[in-house]
Amino acid sequence: MKKILALVLALVLALSLCACGAPAADGAGDEGAPVVTDGATLGEGATTFALVIKQLDGSSISATINTDAETVGEALEALGILKGEEGPYGIYIKEVNGVSAVYEEDGTYWGFYIDGEYAMTGADATPVTAGAEYTFAVEKGE
């Protein structure tokens, strides 16, 4: 009887540990953990746009974002996809989808593109346009 009780307690403990390690269900993710998976649709709102995230190795992830936010930066920060800090020219993007690119540390940065063209505004100053494609690409500085 003691062996059965010990086995049941061990099983309950193991299941409890597995539940504690489960990923967040709200889409916010853990710091450094990816939020977007390829083909995902995230957010809620009346305006829809495409998001592409390109890595330095050439791989990419595409997703659909639904939002009522006014700017691309606001929409992606609210979903936990984009992280950075305020700088003299707006947000300095340091992390997209859990991937860090910090020029001061490794010479890489996040390039921002609107419909395939390098953006002349930052993500936090770019109004959301329905049907547009916004791309963040890790790039190596010279």
Side-chain angles (χ1 to χ4, degrees):
M1 187 63 154
K2 288 183 181 181
K3 287 182 181 181
I4 293 174
L5 182 58
L7 181 62
V8 169
L9 286 175
L11 182 61
V12 169
L13 179 61
L15 291 173
S16 297
L17 290 173
C18 288
C20 291
D26 63 1
D30 296 326
E31 187 171 329
V35 176
V36 180
T37 56
D38 197 39
T41 298
L42 298 169
E44 295 180 4
T47 307
T48 300
F49 66 86
L51 173 66
V52 177
I53 303 167
K54 293 184 178 182
Q55 305 301 321
L56 196 55
D57 67 3
S59 65
S60 66
I61 295 171
S62 298
T64 301
I65 306 297
N66 299 309
T67 189
D68 286 328
E70 291 184 21
T71 67
V72 175
E74 180 185 355
L76 299 180
E77 281 183 297
L79 293 170
I81 297 169
L82 182 146
K83 295 180 183 175
E85 58 188 44
E86 284 299 317
Y89 305 106
I91 189 169
Y92 173 34
I93 299 169
K94 292 187 169 189
E95 184 178 302
V96 177
N97 201 36
V99 176
S100 178
V102 181
Y103 189 80
E104 297 81 11
E105 294 175 7
D106 59 11
T108 61
Y109 63 95
W110 284 103
F112 178 51
Y113 297 81
I114 304 169
D115 292 326
E117 299 290 325
Y118 199 85
M120 294 294 121
T121 56
D124 59 341
T126 301
V128 170
T129 302
E133 179 182 274
Y134 301 104
T135 301
F136 289 90
V138 177
E139 299 181 353
K140 188 84 169 161
E142 295 183 27

